[in-house]
Amino acid sequence: MLRNYFKIALRNLWHNRIFSFINITGLATGLAVTLLIALYVAHEYSFDRFHEHADRIVKVELKHQEGDQIYTIPWMSYRFAEAVQKASPEVENYARINISNDATKQIMSDVQHKNYESGFGFADNRFFQVFSFPLIKGDRRTVLSRPETVVLTESMAKKYFGNSDPIGKTITYDKKHLFEVVGIVADPPLNSTIRFNFLANFQTQRALDRALYRNHMDEKQVNELLESVGAGGGVDTYFLLKNADAAANVARKIPSVLSEKAKNKYEKFYLYALPNYHFDTSYKTVQKTVNTFGIIAVLILSLALINYVSLTTARATIRAKEVSVRKVVGAARKSLIVQFYLESTLYVTLAFGLALVFFSLLKPFFYDTLQLKIDSSFVSTPYFWLPAIGFYVVSILLSGSYPALLLSNFTPIAILKGKLGIGKGSATVRRSMTVFQFTISIALIIGSILIKKQLDLFLRQNVGLERERVVGIRLDPETGIDKHYSSLRNNLSQISGVEAVTASTLPIYGGYMNGWNLKTLHSDKVVSANSFPVDEEFIKTMRVQWAIAPAQKADLSSGGNIIINEAAAKELGINAKNYQQRIDIGSGTPKNLVGVVKDFPFTSLHRQIRPMAFFIGKNDLFHNYIYVKLEKTANAQEKLAVIKHVYDSYKADRPFDYYFLDEAYQKLYEYEISTGKIIFAFTGFAILIACLGLFGLATFTAEQRTKEIGIRKVLGASIVSIVRLLSGEFLKLVFIGIVIASPIAYYFMDNWLQGFAHRVDITWWYFAIAALAGITIAFLTVSAQSIKAALMNPTESLKTE
């Protein structure tokens, strides 16, 4: 029997090739997009869950209030972990790590294998007892027990030692520290928040820090700093709890173990569960976006399934006599339901196979657009294939249920008499489905328009800081090249095509800031401000606008003075009449205020512009970053080659490292840019799926009304009136979709825009554009079939009567 059902299903698929193609292609497109989104969502939610005890591991962080600012401090002191464990029986174990993934240090195994690497970390011997990173060589219990030993990741072992066994061999860290290789660990998966390339013994880090502190403090101060219990010590601290619910109790006990100087009534410690840490410590927009993508995946799959159901029920009249004859000869309703479910299974299986092909083809584009880094092996994990199988099964059940129940419920006598009796109900369901499809499509179009406008606000507006054709070059203090700043600056300035040269301590748009507590000498109000040491040419070169210009140009070249922005001036009560005064920048250190610049975003426009202070320094300043402004007519690549030649002439050990300021600025919004691209793509897919369904319904309607159209033409109806008749019904449904979609889109986009301090206004014409686009797309989709039907010769359509 199943064999016969399968033959019937294949025969129907072949005899109705157009509808089969629309059904399978639409469903395959929806499934492919759903699988791509499921891959992304599953990867985000799988972070750190591969550890055996992930549900019992927590990370400690502190929120600290300073003035009107609240800061998060993710690092604890050396002795913090052991002090908390002694006070808290709920703590089974702990792990301390210090990993530098931003800065690079020179690593060398021999003269042929010497590179600057990031991800060199220090961890205590408990690390591999708490975390489940696979150790390929070495004993988990003792691998980091000896000072001056290191564990390499598998890729670094291959990079520095090739195919030879690195155990017992040495690497040199930062040109002067020798480490013996005692283990090899598998590379951390890309869904791990803890990332490293090298892990050295933790006690070595303490020795290095002690030597560093002795350059600035006496022995008593060094001991006090290293033995204190509190936050801010540079150590990521994790606890393995005996019970996952014990985090609150441990957090309550932390204040009792802190050193006296570490206690502050404005501080609060948080214990973040490791599986949630990825979301808890990121912008809330990240999890919101992941959840939104998940909803979009469900909606797009719904659109594809609706196409199948809508087209299947639309052709109910064609299958009605087949069902009636089968019932007359004794077929039970149950067997008919099985038949139609089998047909759905065949369609979904073919669509799922095609979807996997689409998935493989679209995956590189999806990864590139969202800047995703996902291990190739992730698709074979239960995190992905379980949802994929779930989508397959759900698609079969949902796509088959309504058609099976509808078609198997036909009454044979009524059908054979020509009284189908299901037209109104079935047509209403189909109209509702079409409205739903275009509601989603129009809402996505509105969302796409607003995302595009918000990105334009970020990327195209004048932010008050020159960023076009500005090259930033890192001058590593450890190489000593920063000491040659004056000479380097003069040589760079003499290059043809270079307009100006300036410098700063921190990278512009680099995400790094120092904090000052500003205070006028006549007030007790403290204003927390970002500090940014620059040279005397910075304001001019970067074309920062003055709100209150210095009284004398010499104020910018004397060194030691400060400039603040309008936000800081407003909070300090400074104006054009009283700006020439001394400002305390903290610890009783006064500086001359010589001017006020207009506000400009030094970080992204996600947040309000905060108070900022520029410290004007001369040759005594550490010029860690130098900025070269190129003339508009200069060839950037040619000038970069010349700049590199000048840099290399100083024989700096670190390779030439540069970035373009406009690219760095754009990178601040890479998350929004990539999200926008994906939303645009999703919108396109949603429209494609909706149009496939609309095209199928229009084709079927034209077929069903062929004789009606012939009679109308015989009676004198024009082609335009027939096209309007056939298209009008569908356009009404699209219009209803527009009316429903507009308030829904407004609600969600207004909520999304609340995440930005600087945002566009939602105006009516965004909705008008989306409505016009939806109507145009729908009209073009149905007009082809409408025109074809209207142009048909009446004698051909009526000759069977």
Side-chain angles (χ1 to χ4, degrees):
M1 181 180 293
L2 289 177
R3 183 179 179 185
N4 288 333
Y5 289 163
F6 188 69
K7 284 183 178 180
I8 293 171
L10 286 175
R11 191 180 300 123
N12 280 321
L13 187 151
W14 180 250
H15 285 320
N16 302 290
R17 290 185 289 275
I18 293 178
F19 289 94
S20 297
F21 173 79
I22 292 172
N23 265 341
I24 292 173
T25 304
L27 195 53
T29 303
L31 279 167
V33 174
T34 302
L35 289 175
L36 285 171
I37 301 174
L39 178 67
Y40 166 62
V41 173
H43 189 262
E44 292 295 301
Y45 273 99
S46 72
F47 260 75
D48 298 312
R49 296 180 187 274
F50 60 89
H51 296 292
E52 182 182 355
H53 306 300
D55 61 321
R56 295 193 287 126
I57 300 174
V58 295
K59 185 178 188 297
V60 188
E61 294 195 355
L62 173 138
K63 290 192 183 300
H64 169 70
Q65 185 171 343
E66 189 172 297
D68 58 344
Q69 283 281 77
I70 297 179
Y71 301 94
T72 296
I73 301 177
W75 311 289
M76 303 297 117
S77 66
Y78 286 112
R79 291 197 56 247
F80 179 87
E82 55 187 287
V84 173
Q85 186 187 37
K86 287 181 181 178
S88 306
E90 300 94 337
V91 176
E92 180 179 316
N93 208 342
Y94 62 82
R96 299 169 295 182
I97 54 176
N98 183 333
I99 303 173
S100 177
N101 281 312
D102 296 321
T104 57
K105 298 288 186 181
Q106 189 189 87
I107 306 295
M108 183 178 73
S109 58
D110 55 52
V111 291
Q112 285 80 32
H113 297 86
K114 180 172 66 172
N115 301 284
Y116 278 86
E117 305 279 7
S118 61
F120 195 101
F122 296 86
D124 55 29
N125 192 46
R126 301 164 178 260
F127 181 82
F128 288 107
Q129 299 171 34
V130 174
F131 298 104
S132 304
F133 293 105
L135 202 60
I136 298 170
K137 289 189 176 182
D139 187 335
R140 304 189 72 87
R141 296 168 299 176
T142 61
V143 70
L144 288 173
S145 59
R146 290 189 292 115
E148 298 175 346
T149 56
V150 66
V151 173
L152 309 185
T153 59
E154 196 171 10
S155 59
M156 289 296 109
K158 180 78 173 176
K159 181 175 181 178
Y160 284 92
F161 296 98
N163 295 323
S164 63
D165 186 358
I167 303 299
K169 297 180 181 178
T170 60
I171 62 170
T172 303
Y173 166 70
D174 198 21
K175 306 172 191 174
K176 51 186 176 291
H177 305 293
L178 204 63
F179 288 91
E180 178 190 352
V181 179
V182 293
I184 300 176
V185 62
D187 288 29
L190 293 171
N191 57 349
S192 172
T193 53
I194 301 174
R195 307 205 54 77
F196 56 87
N197 290 316
F198 310 85
L199 279 182
N201 171 267
F202 195 69
Q203 295 304 317
T204 307
Q205 171 76 73
R206 295 201 69 177
L208 293 177
D209 285 347
R210 182 177 290 276
L212 177 65
Y213 296 153
R214 280 174 175 166
N215 294 330
H216 310 285
M217 309 175 187
D218 59 38
E219 194 66 24
K220 181 181 178 182
Q221 291 174 314
V222 171
N223 289 331
E224 187 177 89
L225 182 61
L226 293 177
E227 298 303 317
S228 67
V229 176
V235 180
D236 288 304
T237 301
Y238 296 83
F239 291 128
L240 175 62
L241 305 179
K242 293 178 181 177
N243 188 305
D245 299 325
N249 289 335
V250 176
R252 280 194 291 268
K253 293 174 183 176
I254 289 177
S256 65
V257 303
L258 298 178
S259 300
E260 196 61 36
K261 289 186 177 180
K263 294 180 179 179
N264 191 315
K265 65 178 180 179
Y266 297 112
E267 296 182 343
K268 187 173 182 180
F269 288 86
Y270 291 84
L271 272 61
Y272 294 102
L274 187 62
N276 301 327
Y277 183 76
H278 175 60
F279 287 134
D280 287 341
T281 57
S282 63
Y283 290 126
K284 290 301 179 184
T285 53
V286 174
Q287 186 171 13
K288 189 185 294 185
T289 300
V290 171
N291 293 338
T292 301
F293 278 14
I295 294 171
I296 290 175
V298 173
L299 292 176
I300 287 181
L301 184 58
S302 299
L303 296 182
L305 292 173
I306 282 171
N307 270 1
Y308 179 89
V309 173
S310 182
L311 292 176
T312 303
T313 56
R315 299 184 64 79
T317 53
I318 297 175
R319 304 292 301 275
K321 290 184 179 179
E322 173 200 337
V323 172
S324 298
V325 170
R326 290 175 62 81
K327 279 194 170 185
V328 168
V329 297
R333 187 184 182 193
K334 181 179 179 180
S335 65
L336 291 172
I337 291 175
V338 171
Q339 177 190 340
F340 290 121
Y341 263 119
L342 186 64
E343 287 188 17
S344 296
T345 302
L346 174 64
Y347 275 86
V348 172
T349 302
L350 292 173
F352 195 79
L354 186 59
L356 292 177
V357 175
F358 290 165
F359 173 80
S360 299
L361 295 174
L362 291 172
K363 191 166 62 171
F365 163 78
F366 187 70
Y367 281 12
D368 183 62
T369 303
L370 267 185
Q371 299 294 304
L372 291 181
K373 294 181 179 179
I374 299 177
D375 294 297
S376 57
S377 60
F378 184 76
V379 294
S380 62
T381 65
Y383 292 111
F384 175 71
W385 59 257
L386 279 178
I389 292 174
F391 288 132
Y392 172 71
V393 173
V394 168
S395 296
I396 292 173
L397 294 175
L398 294 182
S399 64
S401 295
Y402 183 69
L405 295 173
L406 176 70
L407 295 174
S408 65
N409 197 39
F410 288 162
T411 305
I413 295 177
I415 299 302
L416 295 175
K417 285 182 178 181
K419 300 177 181 179
L420 186 57
I422 63 163
K424 290 184 178 180
S426 180
T428 300
V429 171
R430 289 197 301 275
R431 291 191 188 101
S432 300
M433 291 177 176
T434 302
V435 169
F436 176 79
Q437 286 183 313
F438 274 88
T439 296
I440 301 304
S441 300
I442 298 299
L444 285 173
I445 292 174
I446 295 170
S448 297
I449 292 172
L450 281 166
I451 289 172
K452 177 67 168 58
K453 291 299 178 183
Q454 183 64 28
L455 289 175
D456 287 345
L457 172 68
F458 285 157
L459 301 177
R460 296 185 180 179
Q461 75 168 7
N462 181 3
V463 296
L465 182 77
E466 181 68 21
R467 64 177 190 268
E468 299 296 328
R469 305 181 72 80
V470 177
V471 182
I473 305 166
R474 183 183 179 189
L475 306 181
D476 187 357
E478 292 187 11
T479 66
I481 191 173
D482 61 306
K483 302 297 189 298
H484 302 287
Y485 165 70
S486 297
S487 173
L488 178 61
R489 173 176 158 179
N490 290 335
N491 289 336
L492 291 175
S493 300
Q494 292 172 14
I495 298 174
S496 174
V498 171
E499 184 177 304
V501 181
T502 186
S504 67
T505 300
L506 300 171
I508 301 175
Y509 304 134
Y512 302 103
M513 281 291 181
N514 289 327
W516 279 349
N517 289 324
L518 304 181
K519 185 173 94 58
T520 66
L521 301 183
H522 310 293
S523 171
D524 292 330
K525 182 178 181 180
V526 176
V527 175
S528 179
N530 292 320
S531 69
F532 195 67
V534 297
D535 72 359
E536 67 274 17
E537 294 294 324
F538 185 86
I539 302 298
K540 178 182 177 182
T541 302
M542 305 309 295
R543 297 182 182 177
V544 179
Q545 300 298 308
W546 290 106
I548 306 173
Q552 302 177 21
K553 290 184 179 180
D555 290 339
L556 293 178
S557 58
S558 60
N561 297 329
I562 66 166
I563 297 166
I564 61 175
N565 67 350
E566 290 175 306
K570 182 178 180 181
E571 293 198 28
L572 289 169
I574 291 174
N575 53 50
K577 295 180 180 179
N578 66 358
Y579 80 94
Q580 291 181 308
Q581 59 177 292
R582 289 172 71 76
I583 301 292
D584 186 341
I585 64 172
S587 302
T589 306
K591 295 289 181 182
N592 292 323
L593 176 64
V594 297
V596 178
V597 296
K598 291 185 178 180
D599 287 339
F600 66 89
F602 196 77
T603 56
S604 72
L605 290 168
H606 292 87
R607 299 189 176 107
Q608 293 287 355
I609 296 175
R610 296 291 307 162
M612 181 181 293
F614 297 90
F615 177 76
I616 309 298
K618 292 179 71 64
N619 293 337
D620 58 342
L621 180 70
F622 287 114
H623 298 287
N624 294 345
Y625 289 86
I626 193 168
Y627 299 95
V628 180
K629 169 66 177 172
L630 302 178
E631 294 177 354
K632 291 182 179 180
T633 57
N635 183 298
Q637 293 306 314
E638 290 180 1
K639 298 308 169 187
L640 273 175
V642 179
I643 292 170
K644 181 180 183 301
H645 177 73
V646 172
Y647 175 91
D648 289 342
S649 68
Y650 287 85
K651 303 186 184 304
D653 190 51
R654 181 180 288 273
F656 180 62
D657 185 14
Y658 72 93
Y659 71 98
F660 281 98
L661 213 56
D662 56 347
E663 293 177 356
Y665 178 78
Q666 183 167 311
K667 198 171 182 179
L668 295 174
Y669 308 102
E670 62 181 355
Y671 187 78
E672 284 72 28
I673 292 171
S674 59
T675 300
K677 288 179 181 178
I678 292 298
I679 293 294
F680 301 154
F682 290 164
T683 302
F685 282 120
I687 293 171
L688 172 64
I689 294 169
C691 288
L692 281 172
L694 199 59
F695 179 81
L697 287 177
T699 302
F700 177 75
T701 301
E703 287 179 4
Q704 292 294 94
R705 302 179 71 173
T706 299
K707 294 180 177 59
E708 175 193 342
I709 293 168
I711 294 172
R712 287 179 180 274
K713 291 193 72 174
V714 168
L715 295 176
S718 65
I719 293 175
V720 173
S721 65
I722 292 174
V723 171
R724 185 168 60 244
L725 173 70
L726 295 177
S727 303
E729 179 182 349
F730 293 109
L731 294 180
K732 288 178 183 176
L733 300 179
V734 174
F735 181 77
I736 295 172
I738 292 169
V739 173
I740 298 173
S742 296
I744 294 174
Y746 180 90
Y747 172 80
F748 283 103
M749 292 312 299
D750 182 63
N751 190 37
W752 180 73
L753 289 170
Q754 296 304 316
F756 306 105
H758 303 265
R759 50 185 177 267
V760 296
D761 295 324
I762 302 179
T763 58
W764 65 270
W765 63 270
Y766 296 146
F767 299 88
I769 292 175
L772 181 62
I775 291 172
T776 302
I777 292 168
F779 178 75
L780 292 175
T781 301
V782 302
S783 61
Q785 287 302 316
S786 300
I787 293 171
K788 179 181 177 182
L791 291 174
M792 187 178 292
N793 190 334
T795 58
E796 293 293 325
S797 58
L798 297 174
K799 66 181 180 180
T800 57
E801 291 293 328

